[in-house]
Amino acid sequence: DSLLRAWTHHGASRELYVDNAKVYHANALKTACLALNIKLLHRKPRDPPGGGLVERFIETVQSQFESEVRAGDMLTLDKLNQAFSAWLEVSYHERIHSETKQSPRLRYEAGKSFTRHVDLQRVLRFFLKSQRRTVNDTFSDVQIQGFYFRVDENLRRDRVEVRYDPFGD
């Protein structure tokens, strides 16, 4: 979800550097990267320096944002997400980094030559689940995860491929 939002907001990068966890080897991610002409790079196993930047960002979030949240009133998830977005925009992206001597926003802008826009609807298709089902010969429907979906009655008894968003309605 976060990656799809990032592609929508910032466009497609030339490369995508991810951890070596199983989820980052999913066919959906590989297919989406191929379709968007993104080189998919995985961190080498047992290679701590590659994950150092992410670990440092998490440490910063914990020491600055999380401590601020814990000191305040209990928030809903929506308010927490709004507060985090505001903290990123106002504080994190504007603070000068000790190594680069630039704010993250200026460094990002300096390295960006153009934006490769992403058609989210096109990319979402790669992340759909797919299951084969036989259409019920009496009711012209198929069942997925306890839900029934009507199918064209001409497909009764036929085997069909059902593609759906497992997180959608």
Side-chain angles (χ1 to χ4, degrees), residues 131-136 139-151 155 158-162:
Q131 292 188 7
R132 302 217 27 103
R133 291 288 189 264
T134 300
V135 179
N136 184 292
F139 301 107
S140 301
D141 61 10
V142 293
Q143 183 181 10
I144 302 284
Q145 296 182 339
F147 294 100
Y148 291 92
F149 299 93
R150 182 160 310 283
V151 178
L155 295 175
D158 285 352
R159 204 109 167 104
V160 296
E161 179 179 345
V162 180

Side-chain angles (χ1 to χ4, degrees), residues 102 105-113:
Q102 290 179 297
R105 182 180 316 287
L106 287 177
R107 187 151 176 92
Y108 171 76
E109 294 295 332
K112 186 170 83 168
S113 55

Side-chain angles (χ1 to χ4, degrees), residues 65-75:
F65 174 72
E66 188 178 321
S67 59
E68 220 176 279
V69 169
R70 289 185 185 276
D73 294 333
M74 187 65 102
L75 298 173

